[in-house]
Amino acid sequence: MAGRREKYGQSIRGSRIAAAIAIGVLLGCVFAFLYPNGFFSPDPPHPLSKSNLQVGSSNCESTERVNMLNSENRKLSEKNAELQRQVRELNQKLQVAAQGNGRAQEQLVVSSQPQKAGPFGTVKSLRTNPPVVPDESVNPRLAKILAEIAVSKEVIVALANSNVRSMLEVWFNSIKKVGIPNYLVVALDDAIVDFCKENDVPVYKRDPDDNVDFIGKNGGNHAVSGLKFRILREFLQLGYSVLLSDVDIVYLQNPFDHLYRDSDVESMSDGHNNMTAYGYNDVFDEPSMGWARYAHTMRIWVYNSGFFYIRPTIPSIELLDRVADRLTKQPNSWDQAVFNEELAFPSHPGYVGLYASRRTMDIYLFMNSKVLFKTVRKDANLKKLKPVIVHVNYHPDKFPRMKAVVEYYVNGKQDALDAFPDGSV
């Protein structure tokens, strides 16, 4: 019996030892899982320290992310600007291609949506072509000048060399007297640059160009007059409307208050009455044709190429290009004749006409010297009118007549115009 109890007690002790060992191993596994760095580690991990590490890491990642996004945004902006430039260039090429074809349906489309015609008498067609996209890269220096002096993207422009200095002085003094701020002299020699600066007149001289400089410094009135078509192109490309002015003009009112701006070209006329200026039915008689001896023709006197308002449209720029090209190839041509032919001649076999809209200015507001000296000064009612400008284009004694116009309309000297003949002597 005693031996059996002893064996039983030993068995219980062995079981307890085994259980204790099992429990110790189990606890060791648990602590090893919960405290991988050791139970007595000097920096025991805990939820708070782990959160701090995550926050710090997140801040670094956010800063890097923002920097990366900013860099990508800059790259995208640069790429977008480049794409816009390419789009502008492609649009210009498409417009040029459309013009080259010369078909009406391929002209610049103002409205792409078909329109329903209204009731009888209410239908009005489109007359105004859209402006070109301004391109300052054409002439950044001129663009800066125009940005400072132009009003509503409009400016009076005159070309001048030393040959017309006396008339130029009357010209800009009359402009100052009226209070017109947006005007510019394109100087064709250094002497005119200095003269304008001395008189506080806005002036611009082009960068050196052998062909332009030679004509500008040495050319007579007709040569200089033809030169303006080449120079005006840059103004239109920059997106500005130009009121081109010869210097044999006296300003009495602000012309920008009297423009319609509904056409590509708005020009004063060489006509001397309503019929010749605005058009009339002229009958051509050929007796040998018998019954059909009378042929009706439509006539209008030419536009004056020394005073016209031109908008920055594709047809306007094409007009300047055509005139400049013809004057280069036909050096004996008169710029005013070429100017009018390109505006008026319709498309016909072997020739593609210019699709430009045009308007004739009021001959009593934008007055030529034939109207003034032949008609207005002799008519009591017409003498009461105050024109916007007087252009001394019909008379070679320009300077004295310009001074007489100032005396009559500005200084009120009633007999200032009386001493001059109707025409030239």
Side-chain angles (χ1 to χ4, degrees):
M1 265 319 267
R4 193 178 298 166
R5 282 197 297 270
E6 185 178 349
K7 289 181 180 179
Y8 180 75
Q10 292 175 348
S11 175
I12 291 174
R13 284 195 300 271
S15 298
R16 287 176 178 173
I17 291 171
I21 292 171
I23 291 171
V25 172
L26 179 61
L27 290 173
C29 292
V30 170
F31 282 112
F33 179 79
L34 293 177
Y35 303 96
N37 295 323
F39 187 77
F40 298 102
S41 173
D43 296 311
H46 51 80
L48 183 59
S49 64
K50 186 175 181 181
S51 175
N52 288 339
L53 289 173
Q54 289 176 343
V55 169
S57 175
S58 176
N59 287 338
C60 292
E61 290 178 0
S62 297
T63 302
E64 292 176 358
R65 180 66 174 168
V66 168
N67 291 336
M68 183 178 68
L69 289 174
N70 286 337
S71 177
E72 291 178 356
N73 186 51
R74 283 193 298 271
K75 292 179 180 178
L76 289 173
S77 296
E78 292 173 357
K79 188 174 182 180
N80 183 53
E82 175 63 19
L83 289 173
Q84 288 179 344
R85 184 187 66 79
Q86 293 177 5
V87 167
R88 288 196 299 269
E89 290 179 354
L90 288 173
N91 282 335
Q92 290 174 354
K93 290 179 180 179
L94 286 173
Q95 290 169 354
V96 171
Q99 288 178 0
N101 203 309
R103 299 178 185 276
Q105 66 268 27
E106 292 176 351
Q107 295 299 304
L108 190 62
V109 178
V110 177
S111 175
S112 59
Q113 296 299 322
Q115 298 183 17
K116 185 177 181 180
F120 178 82
T122 65
V123 177
K124 302 293 182 183
S125 63
L126 294 173
R127 292 171 174 81
T128 306
N129 286 298
V132 298
V133 176
D135 183 5
E136 291 192 2
S137 66
V138 171
N139 191 329
R141 186 164 64 89
L142 178 59
K144 183 178 179 180
I145 294 173
L146 292 175
E148 294 174 353
I149 66 171
V151 176
S152 300
K153 303 287 283 188
E154 296 177 326
V155 63
I156 299 172
V157 175
L159 278 65
N161 60 17
S162 296
N163 295 334
V164 295
R165 175 172 171 152
S166 57
M167 288 189 292
L168 177 64
E169 186 172 14
V170 177
W171 180 85
F172 65 64
N173 281 336
S174 70
I175 287 178
K176 290 181 178 182
K177 181 73 174 179
V178 174
I180 303 168
N182 47 329
Y183 68 102
L184 179 68
V185 174
V186 177
L188 301 176
D189 56 46
D190 293 333
I192 289 297
V193 174
D194 296 336
F195 181 61
C196 288
K197 289 181 178 179
E198 291 168 3
N199 289 275
D200 196 25
V201 171
V203 64
Y204 161 72
K205 189 172 186 293
R206 300 177 79 251
D207 292 331
D209 183 320
D210 291 341
N211 293 328
V212 172
D213 292 342
F214 177 79
I215 298 173
K217 294 176 181 177
N218 305 298
N221 287 344
H222 279 190
V224 171
S225 187
L227 184 62
K228 64 195 172 195
F229 296 97
R230 291 176 58 183
I231 293 177
L232 283 184
R233 192 186 206 277
E234 291 182 347
F235 287 78
L236 269 57
Q237 283 182 279
L238 292 172
Y240 289 85
S241 295
V242 174
L243 184 58
L244 188 280
S245 173
D246 282 351
V247 296
D248 56 345
I249 292 176
V250 176
Y251 286 76
L252 301 167
Q253 298 185 60
N254 191 329
F256 294 110
D257 295 337
H258 300 272
L259 298 175
Y260 285 80
R261 301 175 177 85
D262 62 350
S263 306
D264 296 305
V265 177
E266 194 167 342
S267 179
M268 73 173 297
S269 172
D270 271 3
H272 59 91
N273 55 27
N274 288 349
M275 186 176 76
T276 57
Y278 309 136
Y280 62 102
N281 182 2
D282 185 41
V283 179
F284 176 78
D285 183 10
E286 191 175 7
S288 63
M289 288 298 295
W291 175 82
R293 63 181 291 180
Y294 300 111
H296 290 259
T297 68
M298 296 305 300
R299 299 189 64 183
I300 183 173
W301 284 31
V302 296
Y303 288 152
N304 190 286
S305 63
F307 189 87
F308 60 86
Y309 177 80
I310 186 165
R311 296 179 59 250
T313 66
I314 291 296
S316 295
I317 294 175
E318 184 182 3
L319 170 65
L320 298 181
D321 288 352
R322 286 184 176 214
V323 175
D325 182 62
R326 282 187 56 185
L327 292 175
T328 300
K329 295 176 179 177
Q330 305 165 9
N332 294 325
S333 298
W334 182 25
D335 71 283
Q336 181 159 290
V338 174
F339 175 70
N340 279 272
E341 289 170 1
E342 292 298 337
L343 272 175
F345 286 172
S347 296
H348 55 262
Y351 176 79
V352 178
L354 180 70
Y355 293 90
S357 57
R358 56 194 186 274
R359 167 182 281 274
T360 306
M361 292 176 172
D362 187 319
I363 62 171
Y364 295 109
L365 291 179
F366 299 91
M367 191 182 297
N368 63 55
S369 56
K370 181 175 182 178
V371 172
L372 174 61
F373 286 98
K374 184 179 179 181
T375 305
V376 170
R377 66 171 176 169
K378 302 174 184 179
D379 187 296
N381 290 322
L382 292 177
K383 287 178 70 174
K384 298 175 184 177
L385 298 175
K386 185 177 184 179
V388 176
I389 61 110
V390 173
H391 188 179
V392 187
N393 61 314
Y394 267 99
H395 301 87
D397 51 338
K398 297 177 181 297
F399 184 55
R401 289 187 188 247
M402 288 179 71
K403 291 194 296 182
V405 169
V406 173
E407 287 295 324
Y408 180 78
Y409 284 108
V410 178
N411 299 329
K413 188 177 180 181
Q414 294 300 305
D415 62 349
L417 304 176
D418 296 346
F420 296 92
D422 288 356
S424 56
V425 179

